Amino acid sequence: RIPRRKGESRCDFVERLQSTLRQPVQANERAVKVHAVVGIVAAHPHHGPADDVLRAAVTAVHAARQRGASRATFSTGMHAAATSRAILEVALQEAVLADEMEVHYQPIFQLADQKLVGFEALLRWNHPTEGRISPGVFIPVAEETRQISRLGKWVLHMAAAQVAQWHRAHPLLGGLTVNVNVSAEQLDEANLVDVFTGIVENAGTTP
């Protein structure tokens, strides 16, 4: 137990708490360091049950982690953001099956002669009520919830099928390529190369 000192501000107390927790502890003859992210909820007479206060603290912790900070103080805006994020997570799970996702192809030109040499496949989400949702919003959610692997494979499947169709329709463009972005999260998958190679080969094109 680390009590708050008389007259000590919340920020000073949290800093002292984190400093204490950063001290190495012995575990099985090894020194282990602990890093703490702190969610602060200011006491207020209108607070509800203890569970509500705890949920607010967890929301503040999540907000701090998103910013790469070591602590954050809860605000009502955080609650609204957390609610919106939870709704987004659920909607994202169904977006592919609901046919809300699209792959857009951005052309890549050779600067020397302005020759079209390929495309970059870009994932776009058309939400039925929110309209277009920026990749800057939904890609981080997909990565944090481990949905990015499924989305990444879907994009590759669509892009491989598209480039195979272009090659069949335009044989003279045999060198046309499509670049597909891969999340860093996907690089942790041991079978990534085999999965991607299988998708490309099944589409009837080459990697």
Side-chain angles (χ1 to χ4, degrees):
R1 177 180 175 85
I2 304 176
R4 185 174 172 183
R5 295 168 180 167
K6 184 177 181 180
E8 187 176 36
S9 70
R10 287 196 300 270
C11 288
D12 288 342
F13 170 65
V14 170
E15 178 57 39
R16 185 164 59 85
L17 173 65
Q18 290 178 313
S19 177
T20 301
L21 291 174
R22 281 194 293 268
Q23 300 304 312
V25 295
Q26 292 296 124
N28 296 326
E29 299 182 354
R30 296 186 63 180
V32 178
K33 290 186 177 181
V34 178
H35 172 70
V37 178
V38 179
I40 304 169
V41 182
H44 194 281
H46 298 300
H47 271 319
D51 286 350
D52 290 347
V53 178
L54 183 58
R55 275 192 291 271
V58 170
T59 298
V61 167
H62 186 74
R65 284 176 175 162
Q66 283 187 311
R67 298 200 300 259
S70 61
R71 62 176 180 259
T73 301
F74 176 78
S75 67
T76 54
M78 287 182 184
H79 177 71
T83 301
S84 297
R85 179 187 170 84
I87 294 172
L88 189 68
E89 288 181 15
V90 174
L92 188 58
Q93 292 175 0
E94 305 297 331
V96 172
L97 293 177
D99 201 27
E100 297 169 7
M101 290 295 185
E102 298 176 349
V103 179
H104 290 193
Y105 297 94
Q106 180 171 283
I108 300 173
F109 293 95
Q110 192 166 272
L111 290 179
D113 55 10
Q114 294 299 303
K115 178 184 177 183
L116 177 67
V117 294
F119 294 88
E120 180 179 3
L122 303 172
L123 181 62
R124 296 292 181 262
W125 184 7
N126 290 317
H127 193 278
T129 58
E130 301 297 327
R132 289 192 180 278
I133 297 179
S134 168
V137 173
F138 73 81
I139 291 296
V141 174
E143 290 178 330
E144 291 177 22
T145 59
R146 308 299 290 184
Q147 297 186 58
I148 194 64
S149 177
R150 179 172 56 89
L151 285 174
K153 292 171 185 174
W154 181 82
V155 172
L156 183 65
H157 172 79
M158 299 298 289
Q162 180 64 77
V163 74
Q165 180 183 334
W166 283 334
H167 286 164
R168 288 192 297 269
H170 307 283
L172 296 180
L173 296 178
L176 193 68
T177 63
V178 174
N179 300 339
V180 179
N181 296 308
V182 177
S183 168
E185 297 293 328
Q186 293 175 266
L187 297 179
D188 287 335
E189 300 174 12
N191 65 338
L192 178 68
V193 174
D194 291 337
V195 169
F196 276 25
T197 302
I199 292 174
V200 172
E201 290 179 348
N202 288 338
T205 186
T206 64

